[in-house]
Amino acid sequence: MNNNYFGKRILIVGSGISGKGAAYALKQSGALIYFYDGEIPNSIDIIVMSPGIRDEKFIAYAKQNDIPIIGEIELGFSLDNAPVIAITGTNGKTTTTMLTGDILSRSGYKTIVCGNIGTSYSKNALLTHERSVVEVSSFQLLTVKEFAPKVAIITNITPDHLDRHGNMQNYINAKLNICRNQTAEDYVIVPREVRVLLKEFGVKSQIVTLGSDITVQKEALWVFGKKIADVDELQQKEEHNLTDALFASCAAILQGATLSAVHDALIGFRSAEHRLSFVGKVNGKNYYNDSKGTNIGAALAAAKSMTGSTVLIAGGSDKGYEFDELFVELPKCVKYVIGMGEVKEKLRLAADRQEYEGFIICSGLEEAMETAKRLDVSNVLLSPAAASFDSYEGYDKRGEHFERLIRA
């Protein structure tokens, strides 16, 4: 454990999961903790910034007073003695993180699974363990300094959070920070389109590429030339789920997982709540909850997994991008798109530009569900392609509301 925090006066900005986890870990390390309450105390040695904080005054204060400013992920890494697998990406990172942890646990390793998945990395880093699997967001990667996972995964990079990052290049740069400090002994696992970005970025780690080193061939999943499972054995056979399975299996194998553990984990795995889950069949319609699909790429992946006529319910709070790509790439099975929430006008304008004739506008989820129930389709899919904060505390609350409305 890093004991450089002993006796240090540390200001924690943010009191959510990250802030509270950082406070716990730092107290255990002997630091003096202050939560920001409107004023910055004198003689602060370090500032720990939670990823959701956007206030530039802390950065300016730190520069002016020569105070190090770090994120909770950086803090966790400094306290962690185990090899780290870190996962980021616009879509698929939570599923990949959960599955990687499951494989390593089945292989006999004491494994912590934490980070952006909903539990503090720094708090978990103090537990006795042999492997760390950490989901990291673009916001968390903005403040890394020495963070250097033994294995990094970038599942994909498509437009998201541009309201925070300002433009696509800034978002890409944040994601690529996951492998900035890796050495030639480390690995980064990516799809082909991200491999090109890594070459430009000048990474030193060994690059494992989806589609060549890890691939789906002959109706089976292969990692480094070894078959790990037949597609027919898996409960979730959609393309994006197969990709997540390959990423997780490869990362776990690179950290010592057994092939038998990989196989057992893959055939028994189910995705996270509110991530493309079948809720039930009511009055002849199949209902699917993908409330966690908070960007265009996720919504398209969900839509492309549908079989039969579908109405897609989309919309929520604005993340700074337009929705033309959604309507360009929609599969033919999506006969209607219901736009709701803060971005409903953006969705309408994009549908008009792309001459999509099946667009319906609604104020919110309740009206959207009333409309969807009347449409002549087989499937109702909630995959919003937008955040939830215009009407809900989080995507989970939106998904729970959707499920309550199904039988209302």
Side-chain angles (χ1 to χ4, degrees):
M1 180 190 295
N2 184 332
N3 288 319
N4 293 337
Y5 303 114
F6 184 82
K8 299 289 187 183
R9 294 166 58 87
I10 300 180
L11 176 66
I12 297 176
V13 183
S15 57
I17 292 172
S18 293
K20 290 175 180 175
Y24 174 87
L26 287 165
K27 285 179 181 178
Q28 299 302 308
S29 303
L32 303 174
I33 303 303
Y34 303 86
F35 277 100
Y36 178 71
D37 60 0
E39 294 185 5
I40 299 176
N42 294 325
S43 303
I44 289 297
D45 296 306
I46 301 171
I47 297 175
V48 178
M49 184 91 77
S50 294
I53 304 298
R54 306 187 185 195
D55 200 328
E56 294 293 325
K57 69 183 175 186
F58 299 106
I59 298 173
Y61 181 87
K63 287 181 178 178
Q64 184 178 0
N65 294 277
D66 197 26
I67 299 172
I69 185 166
I70 63 172
E72 194 257 346
I73 290 295
E74 187 73 17
L75 173 63
F77 183 72
S78 71
L79 298 170
D80 197 352
N81 293 320
V84 176
I85 296 174
I87 298 102
T88 196
T90 307
N91 301 306
K93 55 184 178 291
T94 297
T95 300
T96 303
T97 299
M98 293 171 61
L99 183 52
T100 304
D102 187 26
I103 295 170
L104 288 168
S105 295
R106 289 173 186 261
S107 297
Y109 294 103
K110 292 182 179 179
T111 305
I112 60 170
V113 180
C114 51
N116 191 61
I117 199 170
T119 55
S120 164
Y121 178 25
S122 52
K123 184 175 182 179
N124 277 272
L126 301 183
L127 300 174
T128 300
H129 64 287
E130 299 166 301
R131 296 290 186 273
S132 301
V133 181
V134 187
E135 179 184 319
V136 287
S137 70
S138 59
F139 300 159
Q140 290 170 321
L141 288 168
L142 284 171
T143 52
V144 299
K145 291 179 170 55
E146 297 181 8
F147 181 69
K150 297 302 295 180
V151 180
I153 301 172
I154 304 174
T155 59
N156 47 49
I157 304 179
T158 58
D160 200 6
H161 302 300
L162 301 189
D163 55 329
R164 172 77 179 269
H165 293 287
N167 57 58
M168 189 61 187
Q169 190 58 55
N170 289 341
Y171 178 58
I172 291 170
N173 291 342
K175 287 295 189 188
L176 297 184
N177 275 342
I178 196 171
C179 52
R180 179 182 293 277
N181 299 315
Q182 286 187 309
T183 70
E185 297 179 354
D186 303 324
Y187 295 88
V188 57
I189 310 168
V190 294
R192 282 197 175 99
E193 62 270 20
V194 176
R195 182 186 178 95
V196 176
L197 299 174
L198 291 178
K199 292 291 188 180
E200 297 172 355
F201 197 64
V203 298
K204 300 181 179 68
S205 44
Q206 300 176 58
I207 302 174
V208 179
T209 308
L210 176 69
S212 54
D213 302 304
I214 57 176
T215 187
V216 179
Q217 287 184 337
K218 301 176 182 177
E219 296 301 313
L221 277 65
W222 300 78
V223 173
F224 301 132
K226 296 180 180 178
K227 187 169 82 167
I228 56 174
D230 290 315
V231 172
D232 286 344
E233 297 179 275
L234 307 183
Q235 297 186 44
Q236 296 170 305
K237 302 176 178 62
E238 299 84 4
E239 182 180 354
H240 64 279
N241 284 317
L242 298 181
T243 297
D244 294 343
L246 285 169
F247 282 134
S249 300
C250 180
I253 288 168
L254 288 171
Q255 279 299 305
T258 64
L259 293 182
S260 61
V262 170
H263 181 266
D264 291 347
L266 292 186
I267 64 175
F269 185 76
R270 288 187 177 276
S271 61
E273 278 190 285
H274 310 292
R275 166 60 81 198
L276 194 54
S277 58
F278 175 63
V279 181
K281 189 168 187 173
V282 179
N283 295 327
K285 287 184 172 64
N286 301 307
Y287 287 86
Y288 295 88
N289 178 1
D290 190 44
S291 183
K292 200 173 186 293
T294 59
N295 55 66
I296 293 171
L300 285 171
K304 290 174 181 177
S305 72
M306 293 292 104
T307 55
S309 58
T310 300
V311 53
L312 169 66
I313 300 176
S317 55
D318 198 345
K319 297 172 84 174
Y321 47 73
E322 302 298 327
F323 290 91
D324 294 72
E325 182 187 354
L326 177 69
F327 294 99
V328 170
E329 297 292 333
L330 273 178
K332 292 181 179 179
C333 67
V334 179
K335 304 302 181 184
Y336 303 95
V337 173
I338 298 176
M340 64 176 186
E342 184 179 282
V343 298
K344 60 182 181 292
E345 281 298 326
K346 269 192 166 185
L347 283 160
R348 183 186 64 80
L349 291 171
D352 288 346
R353 286 192 295 268
Q354 301 307 322
E355 299 180 349
Y356 182 83
E357 296 180 354
F359 183 76
I360 303 168
I361 197 164
C362 291
S363 59
L365 187 55
E366 290 188 9
E367 185 183 351
M369 284 294 285
E370 290 174 6
T371 303
K373 289 176 181 180
R374 295 194 298 266
L375 294 174
D376 184 19
V377 292
S378 300
N379 307 311
V380 178
L381 168 64
L382 172 68
S383 191
S388 59
F389 301 117
D390 57 339
S391 302
Y392 304 93
E393 292 181 1
Y395 67 80
D396 53 338
K397 301 299 182 186
R398 177 171 58 190
E400 290 165 6
H401 190 200
F402 172 72
E403 295 189 9
R404 289 196 303 271
L405 291 170
I406 290 170
R407 292 174 174 84

